[in-house]
Amino acid sequence: MRPNPILLTALIVLTVPAVLAESAGGLTWTAPDGWTSQPKRMRAANYVVPSAGGDNENGECGVYFFGPGQGGSVEANVRRWIGQFRAPDGGPADSLAKRSSDSFNGIAVTTLDLTGTYLFKPFPMARQATPKPGYRMLAAIAEAPQGPVFFKLTAPKATTDAAEAAFRKMLGSLKR
C-alpha cells in the first residue's frame, strides 16, 4: 500500500514547528518563540507568555485591531491603560508610566511601560476588577495603514521582565 501524500504533508506540518506570522491592519509581525497562540476572543492575536522567575501565573499578550478609524486615539488608549494600574500606595499610576515613541521598519509606534498593581478585568465591561500587585505591562500602538494595531502584554513583573526582549523583537518584526 502506498502512503497517502496528503496525510504525509499534514503530518509534517503538524510536527515541524513553524514561525508564526500574524497580521492585522495592513501589518504583519512574527510571534515570539515560546509564546503559545490561543483562541483570539475578538482579538487579532492572543498569546500566553510562559511564567518566569518564580511567578505563579503566565502572562498574556493581546493584539487588537478594531478597523479603520476605530479603537480610539493613541492618547486615549495610553490614558486608559495607565488607569488599569495603581501605584504601590494605591494612588494613580501616572508618574510610574514610561512612554516613548519609536519607529520599527518605518512604522511609528508609541510604547508604554508600567509596573504596579494591575486592576485585572476578565472582560472590558466587567464591574469588578481584581487587584494584582507586582504586575508589569508593556504596550504598544502601531500606526498601521488601515488603522492602529494595539499590543498589550500584562504579567507578573518577573515574567514581563523575562519576556521584554521577545516583545521588543516582535515589534521589530513589524512590516507593512
Side-chain angles (χ1 to χ4, degrees):
M1 181 189 235
R2 293 182 48 202
N4 182 329
I6 294 173
L7 247 102
L8 285 176
T9 302
L11 182 60
I12 292 168
V13 169
L14 290 174
T15 57
V16 176
V19 174
L20 184 59
E22 302 278 5
S23 66
L27 295 180
T28 63
W29 64 91
T30 302
D33 291 335
W35 291 16
T36 307
S37 185
Q38 293 292 302
K40 296 180 182 176
R41 301 184 327 229
M42 298 180 62
R43 298 175 181 185
N46 193 55
Y47 308 105
V48 172
V49 179
S51 64
D55 285 343
N56 59 1
E57 283 187 49
N58 289 327
E60 178 180 50
C61 183
V63 183
Y64 309 84
F65 175 68
F66 302 104
Q70 301 297 309
S73 69
V74 168
E75 190 59 36
N77 281 281
V78 167
R79 301 292 331 139
R80 184 175 51 77
W81 287 339
I82 292 171
Q84 293 173 349
F85 274 76
R86 292 286 174 255
D89 66 4
D94 299 64
S95 64
L96 304 175
K98 298 173 193 157
R99 178 180 175 169
S100 64
S101 296
D102 295 295
S103 179
F104 298 96
N105 300 314
I107 300 159
V109 178
T110 299
T111 59
L112 183 67
D113 184 344
L114 181 58
T115 302
T117 298
Y118 178 44
L119 303 175
F120 171 76
K121 289 186 175 185
F123 54 92
M125 302 310 273
R127 296 176 114 193
Q128 203 66 21
T130 302
K132 294 189 173 202
Y135 259 62
R136 183 176 176 204
M137 173 180 58
L138 296 175
I141 303 168
E143 296 180 27
Q146 298 168 14
V149 178
F150 305 90
F151 297 80
K152 181 181 167 196
L153 186 157
T154 51
K157 185 177 182 316
T159 297
T160 306
D161 292 352
E164 182 173 5
F167 182 81
R168 301 219 182 270
K169 184 177 178 182
M170 179 173 62
L171 295 178
S173 76
L174 288 170
K175 291 185 177 52
R176 293 183 202 277

